[in-house]
Short mmCIF file of all heavy atoms in Angstrom, two decimals:
data_model
loop_
_atom_site.label_atom_id
_atom_site.label_comp_id
_atom_site.label_asym_id
_atom_site.label_seq_id
_atom_site.Cartn_x
_atom_site.Cartn_y
_atom_site.Cartn_z
N GLY A 1 0.81 -1.22 0.00
CA GLY A 1 0.00 -0.01 0.00
C GLY A 1 0.82 1.27 0.00
O GLY A 1 0.40 2.31 0.53
N VAL A 2 2.03 1.19 -0.56
CA VAL A 2 2.90 2.37 -0.73
C VAL A 2 3.55 2.29 -2.09
O VAL A 2 3.75 1.17 -2.62
CB VAL A 2 4.00 2.43 0.37
CG1 VAL A 2 3.40 2.80 1.71
CG2 VAL A 2 4.76 1.11 0.46
N PRO A 3 3.90 3.42 -2.70
CA PRO A 3 4.58 3.36 -3.98
C PRO A 3 5.98 2.81 -3.82
O PRO A 3 6.58 2.83 -2.75
CB PRO A 3 4.62 4.83 -4.43
CG PRO A 3 4.51 5.61 -3.18
CD PRO A 3 3.67 4.80 -2.25
N GLY A 4 6.52 2.29 -4.92
CA GLY A 4 7.87 1.72 -4.91
C GLY A 4 8.10 0.87 -6.14
O GLY A 4 7.26 0.79 -7.01
N SER A 5 9.26 0.23 -6.19
CA SER A 5 9.63 -0.56 -7.36
C SER A 5 9.99 -1.98 -6.95
O SER A 5 10.52 -2.21 -5.85
CB SER A 5 10.87 0.06 -8.04
OG SER A 5 10.66 1.42 -8.35
N GLU A 6 9.74 -2.91 -7.84
CA GLU A 6 10.17 -4.27 -7.61
C GLU A 6 11.69 -4.29 -7.42
O GLU A 6 12.43 -3.69 -8.18
CB GLU A 6 9.80 -5.15 -8.82
CG GLU A 6 10.21 -6.60 -8.67
CD GLU A 6 9.80 -7.43 -9.86
OE1 GLU A 6 9.17 -6.87 -10.81
OE2 GLU A 6 10.09 -8.65 -9.88
N GLY A 7 12.12 -4.96 -6.36
CA GLY A 7 13.54 -5.04 -6.09
C GLY A 7 14.08 -3.98 -5.16
O GLY A 7 15.27 -4.05 -4.78
N GLU A 8 13.30 -2.99 -4.78
CA GLU A 8 13.78 -2.01 -3.81
C GLU A 8 14.00 -2.72 -2.47
O GLU A 8 13.35 -3.76 -2.17
CB GLU A 8 12.80 -0.86 -3.62
CG GLU A 8 11.50 -1.29 -2.95
CD GLU A 8 10.60 -0.14 -2.60
OE1 GLU A 8 10.78 0.96 -3.13
OE2 GLU A 8 9.68 -0.36 -1.79
N TYR A 9 14.90 -2.23 -1.65
CA TYR A 9 15.18 -2.91 -0.38
C TYR A 9 15.41 -1.87 0.71
O TYR A 9 15.80 -0.72 0.43
CB TYR A 9 16.37 -3.85 -0.51
CG TYR A 9 17.62 -3.30 -1.12
CD1 TYR A 9 18.65 -2.78 -0.34
CD2 TYR A 9 17.79 -3.27 -2.50
CE1 TYR A 9 19.81 -2.26 -0.89
CE2 TYR A 9 18.95 -2.76 -3.08
CZ TYR A 9 19.95 -2.26 -2.28
OH TYR A 9 21.09 -1.75 -2.85
N MET A 10 15.21 -2.29 1.96
CA MET A 10 15.17 -1.32 3.05
C MET A 10 15.22 -2.00 4.39
O MET A 10 15.10 -3.22 4.50
CB MET A 10 13.88 -0.50 2.95
CG MET A 10 12.62 -1.32 3.22
SD MET A 10 11.11 -0.38 2.95
CE MET A 10 11.13 -0.21 1.17
N TRP A 11 15.36 -1.19 5.43
CA TRP A 11 15.08 -1.58 6.79
C TRP A 11 14.98 -0.33 7.64
O TRP A 11 15.12 0.78 7.14
CB TRP A 11 16.08 -2.59 7.32
CG TRP A 11 15.50 -3.41 8.44
CD1 TRP A 11 15.98 -3.54 9.71
CD2 TRP A 11 14.30 -4.19 8.38
NE1 TRP A 11 15.15 -4.38 10.44
CE2 TRP A 11 14.11 -4.78 9.66
CE3 TRP A 11 13.34 -4.44 7.39
CZ2 TRP A 11 13.03 -5.60 9.97
CZ3 TRP A 11 12.25 -5.27 7.70
CH2 TRP A 11 12.12 -5.82 8.96
N ALA A 12 14.70 -0.52 8.92
CA ALA A 12 14.43 0.61 9.80
C ALA A 12 14.88 0.27 11.21
O ALA A 12 15.30 -0.87 11.47
CB ALA A 12 12.94 0.97 9.77
N GLY A 13 14.75 1.23 12.13
CA GLY A 13 15.16 1.03 13.50
C GLY A 13 14.04 1.32 14.47
O GLY A 13 13.14 2.12 14.20
N ALA A 14 14.10 0.69 15.64
CA ALA A 14 13.03 0.80 16.66
C ALA A 14 12.84 2.23 17.15
O ALA A 14 11.77 2.57 17.63
CB ALA A 14 13.33 -0.12 17.84
N ALA A 15 13.87 3.07 17.03
CA ALA A 15 13.74 4.46 17.52
C ALA A 15 13.29 5.41 16.41
O ALA A 15 13.24 6.62 16.63
CB ALA A 15 15.04 4.94 18.10
N GLY A 16 12.95 4.89 15.24
CA GLY A 16 12.36 5.73 14.20
C GLY A 16 13.19 5.93 12.95
O GLY A 16 12.71 6.51 11.97
N THR A 17 14.46 5.49 12.92
CA THR A 17 15.27 5.67 11.72
C THR A 17 14.79 4.78 10.60
O THR A 17 14.20 3.71 10.84
CB THR A 17 16.74 5.38 12.02
OG1 THR A 17 16.85 4.03 12.53
CG2 THR A 17 17.29 6.35 13.06
N PHE A 18 15.03 5.17 9.34
CA PHE A 18 14.45 4.48 8.19
C PHE A 18 15.30 4.78 6.96
O PHE A 18 15.79 5.90 6.80
CB PHE A 18 13.01 4.98 8.00
CG PHE A 18 12.24 4.42 6.83
CD1 PHE A 18 12.30 3.07 6.53
CD2 PHE A 18 11.46 5.25 6.06
CE1 PHE A 18 11.56 2.54 5.47
CE2 PHE A 18 10.72 4.75 5.00
CZ PHE A 18 10.78 3.40 4.70
N PHE A 19 15.50 3.77 6.10
CA PHE A 19 16.19 4.01 4.84
C PHE A 19 15.67 3.02 3.81
O PHE A 19 15.14 1.97 4.12
CB PHE A 19 17.69 3.89 4.99
CG PHE A 19 18.22 2.48 4.80
CD1 PHE A 19 18.84 2.09 3.63
CD2 PHE A 19 18.08 1.53 5.82
CE1 PHE A 19 19.31 0.79 3.45
CE2 PHE A 19 18.57 0.24 5.65
CZ PHE A 19 19.18 -0.12 4.48
N TRP A 20 15.83 3.41 2.55
CA TRP A 20 15.61 2.42 1.48
C TRP A 20 16.44 2.79 0.25
O TRP A 20 16.91 3.91 0.09
CB TRP A 20 14.15 2.27 1.12
CG TRP A 20 13.52 3.32 0.26
CD1 TRP A 20 13.42 3.33 -1.08
CD2 TRP A 20 12.84 4.52 0.71
NE1 TRP A 20 12.73 4.42 -1.53
CE2 TRP A 20 12.35 5.17 -0.46
CE3 TRP A 20 12.60 5.09 1.96
CZ2 TRP A 20 11.66 6.36 -0.41
CZ3 TRP A 20 11.89 6.30 2.03
CH2 TRP A 20 11.44 6.91 0.85
N VAL A 21 16.62 1.77 -0.58
CA VAL A 21 17.38 1.89 -1.83
C VAL A 21 16.51 1.33 -2.95
O VAL A 21 15.97 0.22 -2.82
CB VAL A 21 18.69 1.09 -1.76
CG1 VAL A 21 19.40 1.08 -3.12
CG2 VAL A 21 19.62 1.70 -0.70
N ASP A 22 16.34 2.08 -4.02
CA ASP A 22 15.51 1.68 -5.16
C ASP A 22 16.39 1.69 -6.40
O ASP A 22 16.58 2.75 -7.03
CB ASP A 22 14.31 2.61 -5.32
CG ASP A 22 13.35 2.14 -6.40
OD1 ASP A 22 13.77 1.41 -7.31
OD2 ASP A 22 12.17 2.55 -6.34
N PRO A 23 16.94 0.54 -6.79
CA PRO A 23 17.82 0.52 -7.97
C PRO A 23 17.13 0.95 -9.26
O PRO A 23 17.75 1.59 -10.11
CB PRO A 23 18.29 -0.95 -8.04
CG PRO A 23 18.15 -1.45 -6.64
CD PRO A 23 16.93 -0.76 -6.10
N LYS A 24 15.85 0.61 -9.42
CA LYS A 24 15.17 0.96 -10.67
C LYS A 24 15.00 2.47 -10.81
O LYS A 24 15.03 3.01 -11.93
CB LYS A 24 13.80 0.26 -10.72
CG LYS A 24 13.90 -1.24 -11.00
CD LYS A 24 12.56 -1.84 -11.36
CE LYS A 24 12.74 -3.30 -11.75
NZ LYS A 24 11.45 -3.93 -12.13
N GLN A 25 14.82 3.15 -9.70
CA GLN A 25 14.70 4.61 -9.73
C GLN A 25 16.05 5.30 -9.45
O GLN A 25 16.10 6.53 -9.40
CB GLN A 25 13.67 5.09 -8.70
CG GLN A 25 12.24 4.72 -9.05
CD GLN A 25 11.73 5.52 -10.23
OE1 GLN A 25 12.32 6.52 -10.65
NE2 GLN A 25 10.61 5.07 -10.81
N ASN A 26 17.10 4.52 -9.25
CA ASN A 26 18.43 5.05 -8.92
C ASN A 26 18.31 6.02 -7.74
O ASN A 26 18.78 7.17 -7.79
CB ASN A 26 19.05 5.74 -10.13
CG ASN A 26 20.58 5.80 -10.03
OD1 ASN A 26 21.17 5.38 -9.03
ND2 ASN A 26 21.21 6.37 -11.03
N LEU A 27 17.71 5.53 -6.67
CA LEU A 27 17.29 6.35 -5.55
C LEU A 27 17.76 5.76 -4.24
O LEU A 27 17.67 4.55 -4.02
CB LEU A 27 15.75 6.44 -5.56
CG LEU A 27 15.05 7.25 -4.48
CD1 LEU A 27 15.22 8.74 -4.76
CD2 LEU A 27 13.55 6.87 -4.48
N ALA A 28 18.27 6.61 -3.33
CA ALA A 28 18.61 6.22 -1.98
C ALA A 28 18.07 7.29 -1.03
O ALA A 28 18.29 8.47 -1.25
CB ALA A 28 20.11 6.04 -1.79
N VAL A 29 17.38 6.86 0.03
CA VAL A 29 16.75 7.79 0.96
C VAL A 29 17.10 7.37 2.38
O VAL A 29 16.99 6.20 2.73
CB VAL A 29 15.21 7.82 0.79
CG1 VAL A 29 14.59 8.82 1.76
CG2 VAL A 29 14.84 8.14 -0.65
N VAL A 30 17.46 8.33 3.21
CA VAL A 30 17.72 8.11 4.62
C VAL A 30 16.94 9.13 5.42
O VAL A 30 16.99 10.34 5.12
CB VAL A 30 19.23 8.22 4.97
CG1 VAL A 30 19.45 8.16 6.48
CG2 VAL A 30 20.01 7.12 4.29
N ALA A 31 16.18 8.66 6.41
CA ALA A 31 15.44 9.54 7.33
C ALA A 31 15.80 9.14 8.76
O ALA A 31 15.56 8.00 9.16
CB ALA A 31 13.94 9.43 7.10
N MET A 32 16.41 10.07 9.50
CA MET A 32 16.85 9.81 10.86
C MET A 32 16.01 10.61 11.86
O MET A 32 15.96 11.83 11.77
CB MET A 32 18.32 10.18 11.03
CG MET A 32 19.29 9.30 10.24
SD MET A 32 19.42 7.64 10.96
CE MET A 32 21.04 7.15 10.30
N MET A 33 15.38 9.89 12.79
CA MET A 33 14.64 10.55 13.86
C MET A 33 14.71 9.63 15.09
O MET A 33 15.00 8.44 14.98
CB MET A 33 13.21 10.85 13.45
CG MET A 33 12.36 9.61 13.17
SD MET A 33 10.77 10.01 12.42
CE MET A 33 11.23 10.18 10.69
N GLN A 34 14.46 10.20 16.26
CA GLN A 34 14.37 9.40 17.47
C GLN A 34 12.92 9.47 17.95
O GLN A 34 12.56 10.27 18.82
CB GLN A 34 15.35 9.89 18.52
CG GLN A 34 16.81 9.83 18.09
CD GLN A 34 17.43 8.44 17.99
OE1 GLN A 34 18.39 8.13 18.68
NE2 GLN A 34 16.91 7.60 17.11
N ALA A 35 12.08 8.63 17.33
CA ALA A 35 10.65 8.64 17.60
C ALA A 35 10.15 7.22 17.69
O ALA A 35 9.53 6.68 16.78
CB ALA A 35 9.92 9.41 16.49
N PRO A 36 10.45 6.53 18.81
CA PRO A 36 9.92 5.19 18.99
C PRO A 36 8.40 5.23 19.21
O PRO A 36 7.85 6.31 19.46
CB PRO A 36 10.64 4.70 20.26
CG PRO A 36 10.93 5.95 21.02
CD PRO A 36 11.20 7.01 19.99
N GLY A 37 7.76 4.09 19.12
CA GLY A 37 6.31 4.07 19.37
C GLY A 37 5.55 3.52 18.20
O GLY A 37 6.09 3.24 17.12
N PRO A 38 4.25 3.34 18.38
CA PRO A 38 3.40 2.67 17.38
C PRO A 38 3.14 3.46 16.11
O PRO A 38 2.55 2.91 15.15
CB PRO A 38 2.11 2.41 18.14
CG PRO A 38 2.07 3.43 19.22
CD PRO A 38 3.51 3.65 19.60
N THR A 39 3.51 4.74 16.04
CA THR A 39 3.28 5.53 14.83
C THR A 39 4.36 5.35 13.80
O THR A 39 4.26 5.88 12.68
CB THR A 39 3.17 7.03 15.17
OG1 THR A 39 4.41 7.46 15.78
CG2 THR A 39 2.03 7.30 16.14
N ARG A 40 5.41 4.57 14.11
CA ARG A 40 6.52 4.40 13.15
C ARG A 40 6.09 3.88 11.79
O ARG A 40 6.51 4.44 10.77
CB ARG A 40 7.59 3.48 13.76
CG ARG A 40 8.41 4.12 14.85
CD ARG A 40 9.28 3.08 15.53
NE ARG A 40 8.45 2.07 16.20
CZ ARG A 40 8.84 0.84 16.49
NH1 ARG A 40 10.05 0.42 16.13
NH2 ARG A 40 8.04 0.00 17.09
N PRO A 41 5.27 2.81 11.69
CA PRO A 41 4.87 2.35 10.35
C PRO A 41 4.20 3.43 9.52
O PRO A 41 4.44 3.57 8.33
CB PRO A 41 3.91 1.19 10.66
CG PRO A 41 4.36 0.68 11.99
CD PRO A 41 4.76 1.91 12.74
N SER A 42 3.31 4.23 10.17
CA SER A 42 2.63 5.31 9.47
C SER A 42 3.62 6.36 8.99
O SER A 42 3.51 6.88 7.87
CB SER A 42 1.58 5.94 10.39
OG SER A 42 0.99 7.06 9.77
N MET A 43 4.61 6.69 9.82
CA MET A 43 5.60 7.69 9.44
C MET A 43 6.42 7.20 8.25
O MET A 43 6.72 7.99 7.35
CB MET A 43 6.51 7.99 10.65
CG MET A 43 7.44 9.18 10.43
SD MET A 43 6.56 10.73 10.25
CE MET A 43 5.78 10.86 11.87
#
């Protein structure tokens, strides 16, 4: 239920950090925050 490309890969951290790499779009994104809690998937 989110946009993206086949083959993109990612992971995240319990305190809110998040990154992904999309080779098809030649894209790399890093988002760093210290926001633990149940809202992380939505963020």
Side-chain angles (χ1 to χ4, degrees):
V2 287
S5 306
E6 181 179 358
E8 68 173 16
Y9 50 95
M10 67 186 70
W11 204 237
T17 58
F18 178 43
F19 87 103
W20 79 91
V21 173
D22 186 336
K24 287 193 174 180
Q25 290 290 346
N26 203 359
L27 180 74
V29 181
V30 172
M32 293 287 203
M33 64 189 83
Q34 300 288 241
T39 60
R40 286 171 297 156
S42 175
M43 189 65 63

